[in-house]
Amino acid sequence: DEITRKQALTYFYKKEYKNAENLFNKLISVHPDKISYYDGLRKVLGAQNRISDICILYAEGLKKNQDNPVFYDRYARALTALSGGNKIQRSKYEQETGIDPVDYSLKLYIEAISKFPDKQYLKTGLLYHSAAQNAIGLPLLDNLYLLYYTH
């Protein structure tokens, strides 16, 4: 598997994205618990500006790895990036999944922190989420209020 991962990275660096994507998908199917394979595929998708696909990737990873806090963090970070980035991709993601990336990333962090209170990086991620949302005009307290009273 290490040879396959290195080959996938070689394809990535050569900008042979389809080959890299295929190998990372193969690795993920064999080892769905290895976050490094998801992160490798994230690089491939990101290089192609496929941000909504990155969110889908980590959503699928979280479904298979509910007891791994890193998957919560990666999915929430991907959603936060999507919420502040390309509006067309955000709209596409919302239409395809029915998920509002701002609200759901906040919900993921809150759920993850309650399940894994000792993981400081989750609290840091929540602060990053807050800063990112404030930068685009969505105060954290308003989000917490809406999340608490509407979900």
Side-chain angles (χ1 to χ4, degrees), residues 72 76 103-117 122-123 126 129 140 143-145 147-148:
Y72 283 90
D103 290 345
Y104 201 70
S105 58
L106 181 60
K107 185 176 181 177
L108 283 170
Y109 274 123
I110 291 169
E111 181 181 338
I113 290 167
S114 70
K115 283 178 78 171
F116 311 100
L122 294 171
K123 296 169 189 168
L126 180 59
H129 175 278
L140 176 63
N143 278 337
L144 287 172
Y145 177 85
L147 184 68
Y148 182 78

Side-chain angles (χ1 to χ4, degrees), residues 1-9 27 31 34 36-37:
D1 292 332
E2 183 60 21
I3 293 170
T4 304
R5 186 187 71 79
K6 286 182 179 180
Q7 182 61 52
L9 288 172
L27 288 165
H31 301 283
K34 294 266 192 180
S36 62
Y37 298 153

Side-chain angles (χ1 to χ4, degrees), residues 29-97:
S29 69
V30 174
H31 301 283
D33 60 329
K34 294 266 192 180
I35 192 69
S36 62
Y37 298 153
Y38 291 85
D39 291 344
L41 183 52
R42 180 200 70 219
K43 288 180 184 180
V44 174
L45 298 173
Q48 299 172 80
N49 199 30
R50 293 169 54 191
I51 309 305
S52 62
D53 290 338
I54 293 171
C55 293
I56 293 167
L57 167 71
Y58 285 120
E60 291 171 1
L62 179 58
K63 284 178 190 173
K64 298 171 188 170
N65 296 281
Q66 290 285 308
D67 293 325
N68 187 334
V70 175
F71 282 91
Y72 283 90
D73 183 57
R74 293 295 203 286
Y75 185 23
R77 284 178 184 264
L79 289 169
T80 299
L82 181 65
S83 67
N86 185 311
K87 291 179 182 180
I88 293 171
Q89 287 196 39
R90 177 182 172 170
S91 177
K92 174 186 169 218
Y93 183 80
E94 288 176 351
Q95 289 174 357
E96 289 176 359
T97 64

Side-chain angles (χ1 to χ4, degrees), residues 121-140:
Y121 63 87
L122 294 171
K123 296 169 189 168
T124 302
L126 180 59
L127 291 174
Y128 172 79
H129 175 278
S130 171
Q133 299 319 310
N134 283 330
I136 61 171
L138 299 170
L140 176 63

